[in-house]
Amino acid sequence: MKTRAITGFVFVIVMLASLLLGPYVFTGFYIFLSLVCVIEFFTLVKTTGIRPHRSIGYVAALIIFASVAGKQFFVYETKWLLINIPLFFGIFIRELFKKSTLPFSNIAYTFLGLIYAVVPFIFFFSLVFISGSYNVHLALGFFLMLWGNDTGAYLFGVKFGKTRLFERHSPKKSWEGFIGGIFTSLVVGFILSIYFTDYALQHWLIMALIISCFGTLGDLVESMFKRSIDIKDSGTILPGHGGFLDRFDGLLLSAPVIFVYLYLITY
């Protein structure tokens, strides 16, 4: 418990520092996070006998993220994304030369790694710049509402949890905890609307609701993935917390939806 608390404290400090030290540190940090997460994903998949094309996947992840990030700092179009086209064809070509009994599984999990572990971080990065400049309020607010949801779900679940949410995938999660997480996230959203006036109260509350629902869904999906390959944690890099996929499972599905919502009300 002590190790978990220390790791959690250091994790929060690092996350806050990445936001407050400016857009360049923020960008580099999230490129790093996306790479670590896709490495974890490919490593886990490999234990099942499937062999995703990791080297191509890592290069593609860097190019995709760097192309999107570069548009925020330099005046050029995201045409560098086109480099991924021959890379993606390369995945199919390499598979032709491999003696694998599951060629399309290897190909599919390569693409899934990029979609599941890299693209969500790109959406999170993009929503911070959605107004045209670096908006630390959005990034900080996102995590505060996400952490509020996790904390509320845990506390309400421990105190009142009786009805299981998806016992087959996550035995400890309950409907009572889910509702408690929504309530706590909404409270955090209300407080944020007082201090961060970038968006009106109703938008902060809608974002809180989205984060609670899709953050919980992301947690359940990651639990389903881990159970399908019979592991407890996605990694051991964070003592007491598992891997980076374990820590960011709530972001993976909620960040794209938040970006879409903010895009719709901004443009």
Side-chain angles (χ1 to χ4, degrees):
M1 191 67 178
K2 182 179 178 181
T3 300
R4 181 180 175 85
I6 293 172
T7 303
F9 177 76
V10 173
F11 176 78
V12 170
I13 293 299
V14 172
M15 293 298 297
L16 292 177
S18 72
L19 301 177
L20 299 176
L21 290 176
Y24 291 102
V25 173
F26 172 80
T27 302
F29 183 68
Y30 280 88
I31 289 176
F32 165 76
L33 281 182
S34 64
L35 281 175
V36 172
C37 285
V38 79
I39 288 170
E40 279 190 358
F41 182 85
F42 286 154
T43 301
L44 293 175
V45 168
K46 191 178 177 181
T47 63
T48 67
I50 295 171
R51 296 292 183 267
H53 296 266
R54 293 184 292 174
S55 56
I56 294 178
Y58 302 150
V59 174
L62 275 173
I63 292 173
I64 295 171
F65 207 130
S67 298
V68 175
K71 195 173 187 301
Q72 303 298 333
F73 302 107
F74 309 103
V75 182
Y76 70 85
E77 298 178 359
T78 53
K79 58 186 178 182
W80 295 107
L81 285 169
L82 296 175
I83 296 175
N84 280 308
I85 293 177
L87 275 177
F88 291 156
F89 281 120
I91 294 172
F92 291 91
I93 294 170
R94 278 195 62 185
E95 199 61 45
L96 289 172
F97 291 93
K98 291 174 66 176
K99 296 180 180 179
S100 173
T101 58
L102 300 168
F104 276 89
S105 294
N106 298 337
I107 294 168
Y109 274 96
T110 303
F111 285 106
L112 180 60
L114 295 172
I115 294 169
Y116 180 69
V118 177
V119 171
F121 286 103
I122 294 175
F123 273 108
F124 179 73
F125 169 86
S126 298
L127 75 85
V128 176
F129 288 92
I130 198 166
S131 61
S133 60
Y134 183 64
N135 188 341
V136 71
H137 291 173
L138 271 177
L140 183 57
F142 180 96
F143 279 116
L144 288 176
M145 289 185 287
L146 183 61
W147 295 337
N149 174 70
D150 292 345
T151 303
Y154 173 77
L155 294 177
F156 278 78
V158 169
K159 184 68 174 178
F160 305 106
K162 293 181 180 179
T163 310
R164 297 302 156 199
L165 187 60
F166 277 95
E167 189 170 7
R168 184 159 57 95
H169 300 302
S170 188
K172 295 182 179 180
K173 281 189 168 28
S174 66
W175 280 101
E176 293 82 1
F178 174 61
I179 294 170
I182 292 176
F183 171 76
T184 310
S185 187
L186 288 171
V187 171
V188 174
F190 173 75
I191 296 172
L192 288 170
S193 71
I194 298 173
Y195 295 97
F196 298 161
T197 56
D198 314 68
Y199 293 94
L201 170 62
Q202 66 267 27
H203 295 309
W204 283 111
L205 294 181
I206 292 172
M207 283 190 277
L209 185 61
I210 291 172
I211 287 171
S212 291
C213 293
F214 285 90
T216 302
L217 179 61
D219 192 334
L220 289 169
V221 167
E222 206 236 352
S223 295
M224 178 175 65
F225 169 60
K226 290 188 295 184
R227 284 183 175 276
S228 72
I229 58 177
D230 196 26
I231 63 160
K232 183 177 183 296
D233 296 317
S234 66
T236 58
I237 196 169
L238 299 171
H241 289 262
F244 278 94
L245 282 175
D246 293 320
R247 289 303 88 209
F248 289 98
D249 52 7
L251 177 147
L252 297 178
L253 296 188
S254 60
V257 183
I258 289 290
F259 175 83
V260 170
Y261 174 72
L262 290 177
Y263 186 86
L264 290 175
I265 66 172
T266 302
Y267 297 98

